[in-house]
Amino acid sequence: MSCGGRENLFQLLKNSLYVFLGACCFGILSTVVKLAYREGFVFQEVMMSQFGTGWFILLVLMLIFGRQKITGKQFIRLAGVGVCTCLTGVTYYLALQSIPASIAVVLLFQFTWIGVIIEAIVKRQRPDKSTVISVIILFIGTIMAGGILGTGEIQLNLKGTLLGLGAALMMALFVFFSGRVETQMSPITRSFYTSTGGLILLTILFTPKVYTEVSLFDNGLWLYGFILGVFGVVLPVLLFALGAPKISTGLATILGAGELPVAVTASVLLLSEQVHAIQWFGVLIILLGIAYPQLVARKRVGASVVQS
């Protein structure tokens, strides 16, 4: 019994690490997007380079490591997951155009409690105590790390606010469906068809004309596209495909908060942005909120070992 408990804890920690690392990959995107905007690239170019490059890399990986036949229904389900992650990027990047980045980050990170609510509705049961406590800790940490405190008057734009909340909802749905849709498939196959769904949506949104207007190699867009494709499509989708099906949606959304500490650190290292002490303290609180469910699980295993 004790060995089984330890093994279950190891599997929980391993799969939690996959999801956490996937969230960390998302964390560098905002910084890279800002760098791309500084170089004069526009929203459509950034999005198409991200999903186009990510899709191509996953295509190559699938061709190398083997393909699986899928049905039309399976493709639609996986493409739907891709639509969620694509809309997360679209709504978040658009929100950044009309509201401050600190507000946009805080709005995006509402996906933590939204994900917990989604799981509670689907399972028809209340979230456990450790999940609720973790979400509260994360909310406090996000407010502090987002840089809202001490900034004076907060200017909110209705359109930007709705877009930010839309990004949060899409992120929560992406995490939820990543743990439930076609989990028996290989992660690479799932990730490829997921990214295909996102790329199809972008083609519809931007119209095929964007393919003739966006050039990866003439003006250096390829570098940003490669970084965004790897860290915004390939790695997070693969890592979520590996870990999310084996843990609860509530825990997966909590682990998804790992994105913000990375975003704050990347903004300091790559953009030389000033981060106040209260923001770093908020980052530590977020890390505590992420670790709390893992510590509770470890304590439970330890208690069961003592009892046995």
Side-chain angles (χ1 to χ4, degrees), residues 124-297:
R124 296 182 180 180
Q125 64 183 36
R126 294 180 179 179
D128 58 40
K129 182 179 178 181
S130 65
T131 298
V132 174
I133 292 175
S134 181
V135 168
I136 293 173
I137 295 173
L138 289 173
F139 181 77
I140 295 172
T142 301
I143 295 295
M144 298 174 69
I148 291 180
L149 299 180
T151 57
E153 184 179 354
I154 297 175
Q155 297 181 351
L156 287 179
N157 174 284
L158 179 59
K159 177 182 176 182
T161 301
L162 292 177
L163 285 169
L165 291 174
L169 176 60
M170 289 300 105
M171 182 65 180
L173 289 174
F174 165 69
V175 174
F176 175 76
F177 289 122
S178 291
R180 292 175 173 266
V181 175
E182 306 302 335
T183 57
Q184 77 285 356
M185 285 187 184
S186 71
I188 291 178
T189 299
R190 290 181 66 202
S191 300
F192 170 74
Y193 288 110
T194 295
S195 67
T196 300
L199 189 60
I200 290 174
L201 177 62
L202 284 184
T203 302
I204 295 172
L205 292 177
F206 298 154
T207 75
K209 184 180 179 181
V210 75
Y211 287 103
T212 61
E213 296 177 347
V214 176
S215 175
L216 281 175
F217 301 104
D218 290 345
N219 49 15
L221 182 59
W222 69 269
L223 177 60
Y224 296 102
F226 178 77
I227 297 173
L228 291 171
V230 170
F231 289 96
V233 178
V234 179
L235 288 179
V237 174
L238 275 173
L239 289 167
F240 271 85
L242 284 168
K246 300 170 185 175
I247 60 177
S248 69
T249 300
L251 178 56
T253 53
I254 288 170
L255 292 164
E259 178 181 345
L260 184 51
V262 175
V264 173
T265 304
S267 68
V268 173
L269 296 178
L270 300 178
L271 298 176
S272 300
E273 292 186 354
Q274 183 180 4
V275 176
H276 301 287
I278 193 171
Q279 290 177 265
W280 286 120
F281 188 62
V283 167
L284 293 177
I285 291 178
I286 289 173
L287 294 176
L288 173 63
I290 293 171
Y292 181 76
Q294 317 296 328
L295 296 174
V296 171

